Amino acid sequence: MRNQFTILIIDDEQSLLESVSAFMEDSGFQTLTASDGDSGLALFQEKRPDIVLLDLRMPGRQGLEIMRIMRETISDVPIIVVSGTGVIQDVVEAMRQGASDFFIKPVLDLSLLEHSVSRALEHAALKKEHGRYQQRLEEDISTRTRQLMEANAKLQEEIRRRDTAEKAMAASLQEKEILLREVHHRVKNNLQIISSLLSLQAENTSEPMARDAFLESRQRVASMALVHEKLYQANDLAQVDMGQFARELIGQHTCTSDRCGIVSVTADDESFPLSINQAIPCGLMLNELTSNIMHHAFPGRRSGTMRVYMSRQDRRVELVVEDDGVGLPESFSTQSPETLGFRLIHALTYQLRGDVSFESKPGKGMRCSIRFPMSTSAGEDSADLNISAFLPLEAEPN
């Protein structure tokens, strides 16, 4: 199958050009070679290779300019940078512009380069397949939308003639609701953009409370984005490994706070799959609990331990988050909390048809247990978040 792929190698070192070309051809690839940027661009535009190995420093056009022109010509062709040790800043810039990988000369083990080429080609193929899938999905949605609009117009006309068409209208409205759910699921692709925008807004806000609110919202969006990241990485696209999710989420909190090396974190290594419908609210609750512990359970430079684990018994899931910190304030009510984080926990637990309990002793830590029935498929129970659960508390009269 490799002989179906063509590699364009652009490098002014003739010995490297010949050795890499010979090695890749022995590995089953077809190769094209060019010793300068202009001839390399001409070959690229004429032959349309599947992947490019590009030197950054050559006579005439420099590698970064060549890479830019190639990207403007064919945006999805993988480019692997092979360059000298003295141009590491150019390598960094090339990676920022979308290079698939980089190697520093001399390349002592060409099998590593071959592996990188194979991996880049596989990634490009998956990316193309994803694009085709998204296009088909958009076409299907467009077709269904048009069909629904036509059906709705006919139903409106029929309603004017007969009252008996009311049941048919209800069926049409149900189809619209299903379509809207499909559209809402596509919003997940913008979660990372929203998270970045909240970060930028926080950086440009001088008021501490507003900045903290932006950062907390950014972390909530990031936790939902992490759920979808785990979903895309999983073999089963209907389930998320919450064990791996918890470890990565806690790692994010540790890296972005000043608790690295101070707070010891224990999270089960066991895989724990949940359907996407339950993983999102469960991930949000886990984010609120672990973030609250990192920020409030160990004031000052106090050290301590946080533990997170999940268990399953009789088709019910239990999520436990506990610490040995200072505990919740005595005046704090877990049943009628005023903080947004704890209100979210109660609202999301309700949506999961579960229950939540808190145990806290001053100076001896806090333990939160959330229990809910486990769904067996992605279609069982809705994962759509109820916006009313996020409304702020009514302001008290002045």
Side-chain angles (χ1 to χ4, degrees):
M1 296 295 290
R2 287 186 172 183
N3 58 8
Q4 298 178 356
F5 296 108
T6 301
I7 305 174
L8 172 59
I9 308 169
I10 307 175
D11 200 299
D12 62 336
E13 293 186 23
Q14 191 63 31
S15 60
L16 178 64
L17 197 65
E18 293 175 355
S19 62
V20 172
S21 176
F23 186 89
M24 291 301 174
E25 288 182 354
D26 289 342
S27 299
F29 296 100
Q30 299 182 30
T31 63
L32 302 169
T33 60
S35 58
D36 60 76
D38 290 328
S39 59
L41 279 175
L43 275 174
F44 179 84
Q45 294 169 346
E46 178 184 358
K47 301 296 185 180
R48 300 298 175 102
D50 299 291
I51 190 169
V52 178
L53 302 182
L54 175 64
D55 186 11
L56 293 184
R57 291 292 177 87
M58 295 178 293
R61 293 180 187 267
Q62 296 299 299
L64 291 176
E65 182 183 0
I66 296 172
M67 183 176 177
R68 178 183 58 79
I69 297 174
M70 287 181 175
R71 285 280 182 240
E72 292 174 352
T73 305
I74 309 176
S75 62
D76 57 353
V77 172
I79 299 176
I80 297 177
V81 171
V82 182
S83 196
T85 57
V87 290
I88 190 64
Q89 293 301 322
D90 288 347
V91 171
V92 172
E93 181 59 29
M95 296 300 290
R96 288 177 179 171
Q97 292 186 19
S100 300
D101 203 350
F102 73 92
F103 287 82
I104 301 298
K105 295 180 181 178
V107 182
L108 301 178
D109 189 350
L110 292 179
S111 63
L112 294 177
L113 182 59
E114 177 196 356
H115 175 72
S116 179
V117 168
S118 299
R119 185 176 60 187
L121 288 171
E122 291 174 0
H123 178 76
L126 290 173
K127 189 174 181 180
K128 288 180 181 179
E129 180 62 24
H130 174 73
R132 289 192 292 268
Y133 173 79
Q134 185 174 13
Q135 182 179 1
R136 290 196 299 269
L137 180 62
E138 291 175 352
E139 291 174 354
D140 290 343
I141 291 176
S142 176
T143 300
R144 291 193 62 186
T145 301
R146 185 176 63 256
Q147 292 172 346
L148 286 171
M149 292 178 64
E150 293 173 355
N152 185 60
K154 292 179 180 179
L155 286 173
Q156 291 288 355
E157 182 179 354
E158 186 67 16
I159 287 173
R160 288 192 293 268
R161 294 197 304 262
R162 296 186 306 167
D163 291 338
T164 54
E166 185 176 349
K167 184 178 294 186
M169 175 62 74
S172 176
L173 291 176
Q174 184 177 8
E175 289 186 359
K176 286 186 177 181
E177 182 178 354
I178 295 173
L179 177 62
L180 286 175
R181 289 185 186 277
E182 294 176 356
V183 173
H184 285 317
H185 288 165
R186 297 181 59 202
V187 176
K188 65 179 178 289
N189 298 324
N190 295 320
L191 287 175
Q192 192 57 52
I193 297 176
I194 297 173
S195 176
S196 299
L197 291 174
L198 289 171
S199 263
L200 292 173
Q201 188 65 60
E203 292 176 1
N204 288 277
T205 302
S206 59
E207 211 284 317
M209 290 185 64
R211 183 171 58 253
D212 290 344
F214 278 121
L215 292 176
E216 288 176 1
S217 297
R218 184 204 67 80
Q219 184 57 44
R220 291 174 182 125
V221 174
S223 70
M224 289 189 288
L226 183 58
V227 169
H228 293 291
E229 178 183 336
K230 297 298 102 183
L231 178 67
Y232 287 132
Q233 292 175 351
N235 293 328
D236 185 355
L237 295 180
Q239 292 184 323
V240 176
D241 184 352
M242 293 305 295
Q244 185 181 21
F245 169 85
R247 293 190 292 274
E248 294 196 20
L249 178 69
I250 294 170
Q252 288 181 2
H253 286 314
T254 303
C255 292
T256 56
S257 68
D258 59 354
R259 300 298 174 181
C260 187
I262 298 177
V263 178
S264 174
V265 178
T266 302
D268 285 349
D269 292 331
E270 182 180 355
S271 175
F272 199 100
L274 278 184
S275 71
I276 180 63
N277 295 338
Q278 292 188 320
I280 292 179
C282 187
L284 281 171
M285 291 188 291
L286 186 58
N287 174 73
E288 296 301 326
L289 290 168
T290 55
S291 177
N292 182 73
I293 291 174
M294 284 293 183
H295 287 89
H296 303 293
F298 308 101
R301 302 296 291 176
R302 172 173 174 165
S303 62
T305 301
M306 175 173 65
R307 185 179 178 217
V308 177
Y309 60 92
M310 298 182 72
S311 61
R312 176 172 52 236
Q313 184 176 7
D314 297 332
R315 289 183 51 77
R316 287 186 68 82
V317 177
E318 181 179 26
L319 168 65
V320 175
V321 180
E322 58 187 8
D323 66 81
D324 58 1
V326 298
L328 297 173
E330 294 183 3
S331 59
F332 187 86
S333 171
T334 58
Q335 297 302 318
S336 301
E338 296 183 359
T339 62
L340 177 59
F342 277 84
R343 292 177 63 230
L344 284 175
I345 292 171
H346 281 281
L348 294 169
T349 302
Y350 177 79
Q351 282 197 257
L352 289 174
R353 303 176 186 174
D355 56 84
V356 58
S357 62
F358 293 89
E359 298 176 12
S360 178
K361 295 181 180 180
K364 295 186 178 180
M366 181 273 295
R367 182 180 189 274
C368 175
S369 172
I370 301 172
R371 294 168 296 276
F372 54 90
M374 185 174 189
S375 65
T376 57
S377 66
E380 183 178 338
D381 297 334
S382 172
D384 294 336
L385 299 180
N386 184 356
I387 191 63
S388 64
F390 296 90
L391 292 176
L393 292 171
E394 296 183 359
E396 294 183 358
N398 295 330

